[in-house]
């Protein structure tokens, strides 16, 4: 018994958000699973109508079925084209449920028209995430951040 007032059966909470702009060309799509889902069917493409009408027989748009725990998809075309709109849909599937499958909403995002050389906003004051631990500053700090080699 759920105490939640709303129990979605369709996938929800897309990341990037629907209609997002300036999205990275190496984006990983993420979503939250519908409550009754057992698996997810993933659809992805550059034509909104084709993605909306796609079935599991739609070559090039249907990207396969994923298990319940797999709530992300990295497009195989990455890096994606700059300044282009992409469309995606997640259908929730559960053969044990007579009401399913639940066809998802078509979400979209537009990639940025530039690349990020370094995301300086990602640096923090935490050890290993400090800017001078990644960029050699000449002031005597001799330990690279984890995963980096000078």
């Amino acid at each position: 018994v759920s105490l939640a007032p709303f129990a979605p059966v369709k996938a929800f909470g897309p990341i990037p958000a629907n209609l997002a702009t300036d999205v990275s060309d190496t984006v990983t799509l993420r979503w939250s699973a519908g409550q009754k889902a057992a698996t997810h069917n993933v659809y992805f493409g550059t034509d909104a109508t084709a993605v909306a009408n796609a079935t599991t027989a739609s070559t090039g748009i249907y990207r396969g079925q994923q298990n319940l725990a797999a709530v992300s998809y990295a497009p195989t075309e990455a890096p994606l084209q700059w300044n282009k709109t992409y469309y995606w849909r997640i259908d929730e599937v559960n053969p044990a449920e007579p009401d399913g499958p639940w066809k998802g909403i078509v979400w979209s995002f537009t990639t940025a028209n530039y690349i990020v050389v370094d995301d300086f906003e990602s640096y923090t004051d935490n050890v290993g995430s400090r800017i001078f631990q990644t960029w050699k500053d000449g002031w005597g700090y001799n330990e690279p951040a984890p995963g980096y080699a000078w």
Side-chain angles (χ1 to χ4, degrees), residues 3 11-12 30-31 47 62 69 76-77 93 108 124 142-143:
L3 299 177
F12 64 99
R30 300 180 195 290
W31 63 91
D47 181 310
Y62 175 62
T76 56
E77 300 88 334
V93 180
S108 71
T124 68
N142 295 325
E143 296 296 322

Side-chain angles (χ1 to χ4, degrees), residues 55-139:
T55 68
T56 56
S58 301
T59 304
I61 294 175
Y62 175 62
R63 301 303 175 98
Q65 190 170 79
Q66 297 183 201
N67 66 42
L68 181 60
V71 288
S72 67
Y73 172 75
T76 56
E77 300 88 334
L80 301 174
Q81 292 181 28
W82 290 6
N83 199 33
K84 187 161 183 79
T85 301
Y86 291 88
Y87 302 89
W88 58 296
R89 185 181 99 212
I90 305 298
D91 289 356
E92 301 293 48
V93 180
N94 186 338
E97 291 288 335
D99 295 336
W102 298 273
K103 186 175 180 178
I105 297 165
V106 175
W107 296 312
S108 71
F109 65 90
T110 302
T111 53
N113 198 24
Y114 56 84
I115 61 169
V116 175
V117 175
D118 192 349
D119 183 8
F120 285 93
E121 287 79 19
S122 67
Y123 296 113
T124 68
D125 285 333
N126 298 327
V127 173
S129 295
R130 296 176 178 149
I131 191 167
F132 63 85
Q133 290 178 290
T134 300
W135 291 91
K136 214 172 192 180
D137 63 5
W139 288 96

